[in-house]
Amino acid sequence: MQVLSSNTISDALLVSIPRLANVLPPDILEALIAARDRETHERAKIVLDQLVLNAQIASEDHVPICQDTGTVWCCLEVGPDIGLNANVFSKVDQSVAAGFINSKLRKSVVRDALFDRTNTGDNTPAFCELRLVDEPGVARLHIMLKGGGSDNASRVVMLTPNAGKQGVIDTVLACVEEKAANACPPLVIGVGVGTTFDKVAGLAKLALMRPLNIPAPDPEVAAFEQELLEAVNATGIGAGGLGGDTTALGVRVKTAPCHIAALPVAVNMGCSAMRRLTVEL
């Protein structure tokens, strides 16, 4: 049995953090270029031009894509035949601190959300979670640098079951219409549906990890994602919130079981600097 150590996780983070801060994922950059090429609003085309140019400069000059270098979120997924040491996340903060300090990235984490909003000075702690998956041989680490503006534009809603699919659509659109302009669009929108109040937000964040060029394996989910994307882009909020054809580059939906009396829904906004990476360990 393969056993994952804390060094394996921390080494992956140490390498990934500077890369994520400075290099936009290829699928996001390609989507921005495609959105710019098909944009019919001149002001939005200028915004998209600037976003593409910004990404190119950041990559070439090894500087952050965005000044908000975010909090570090990592999700370790392991299959049934992978062993874990109890301290598998013990060196994560060490790598986060080294990555942010050595690369001179902005530190954005405070010691306590309510009682001590002093900056920790090294962007720790990271926010980690473990998921057990029924995939033999799998050991993968999802990593995201999540800016405050996009997370602030997110929400969790507990609907009743009779709200159905339209209730999910209405929830996503209400969130977009109220908050999208402040989340640096064009967006990638993660939607979680199911589980429980405390888990559905994580489902939405995990949904953001699927690249834009990989469709949902379930045709029903894929069709729903397209329906949501068209509805979001029909709002006309556009790039930079200044109007245009592309409010979102993509919508990603992840569903799960839930209680018979519940329909939990979470919307997690990802900004135009959608910095995420999956590492196969």
Side-chain angles (χ1 to χ4, degrees):
M1 175 183 287
Q2 179 186 358
V3 178
L4 285 180
S5 70
S6 58
N7 287 334
T8 303
I9 307 303
S10 62
D11 289 349
L13 273 169
L14 191 58
V15 171
S16 299
I17 286 171
R19 175 182 169 187
L20 277 172
N22 301 339
V23 181
L24 202 60
D27 65 299
I28 303 297
L29 181 56
E30 291 169 8
L32 286 172
I33 293 170
R36 177 195 62 187
D37 292 345
R38 65 173 179 266
E39 181 61 57
T40 60
H41 294 67
E42 191 58 35
R43 186 161 51 182
K45 187 181 286 288
I46 291 170
V47 173
L48 290 163
D49 257 333
Q50 292 174 339
L51 290 173
V52 171
L53 178 60
N54 179 74
Q56 292 169 343
I57 292 172
S59 179
E60 291 168 4
D61 292 355
H62 306 289
V63 294
I65 301 163
C66 175
Q67 65 176 345
D68 184 352
T69 47
T71 54
V72 178
W73 173 82
C74 59
C75 174
L76 176 62
E77 291 186 323
V78 293
D81 53 348
I82 303 296
L84 294 174
N85 290 325
N87 68 343
V88 71
F89 289 132
S90 64
K91 296 183 179 179
V92 163
D93 284 352
Q94 179 181 318
S95 289
V96 170
F100 272 75
I101 292 170
N102 294 343
S103 297
K104 296 180 172 60
L105 304 177
R106 194 185 86 178
K107 293 83 175 176
S108 303
V109 178
V110 297
R111 298 185 185 281
D112 185 89
L114 186 59
F115 297 111
D116 182 4
R117 294 191 66 88
T118 304
N119 197 300
T120 62
D122 58 9
N123 220 59
T124 65
F127 301 94
C128 306
E129 58 185 79
L130 174 66
R131 294 186 76 247
L132 305 179
V133 296
D134 190 18
E135 301 175 59
V138 163
R140 66 172 70 99
L141 184 66
H142 300 299
I143 308 166
M144 189 184 302
L145 301 187
K146 198 67 165 63
S150 59
D151 251 12
N152 286 348
S154 305
R155 66 175 49 168
V156 173
V157 178
M158 301 299 288
L159 301 179
T160 54
N162 64 347
K165 190 171 78 167
Q166 189 59 51
V168 176
I169 295 171
D170 292 344
T171 297
V172 173
L173 288 179
C175 188
V176 167
E177 289 168 354
E178 181 183 345
K179 299 186 174 184
N182 294 323
C184 300
L187 311 167
V188 181
I189 302 174
V191 181
V193 185
T195 66
T196 54
F197 172 81
D198 58 315
K199 300 293 185 184
V200 70
L203 205 62
K205 184 161 283 189
L206 191 61
L208 290 173
M209 295 305 304
R210 176 159 48 89
L212 295 177
N213 52 11
I214 298 179
D218 185 328
E220 189 172 17
V221 174
F224 188 45
E225 289 178 345
Q226 185 59 33
E227 182 179 357
L228 281 168
L229 179 60
E230 291 173 1
V232 167
N233 285 336
T235 63
I237 292 169
L242 299 174
D245 301 321
T246 307
T247 302
L249 301 172
V251 177
R252 290 291 177 258
V253 175
K254 198 166 184 62
T255 63
C258 72
H259 191 281
I260 56 172
L263 182 59
V265 179
V267 182
N268 191 212
M269 300 287 190
C271 64
S272 55
M274 184 69 246
R275 296 155 296 182
R276 46 100 164 101
L277 176 70
T278 297
V279 180
E280 299 294 339
L281 301 172

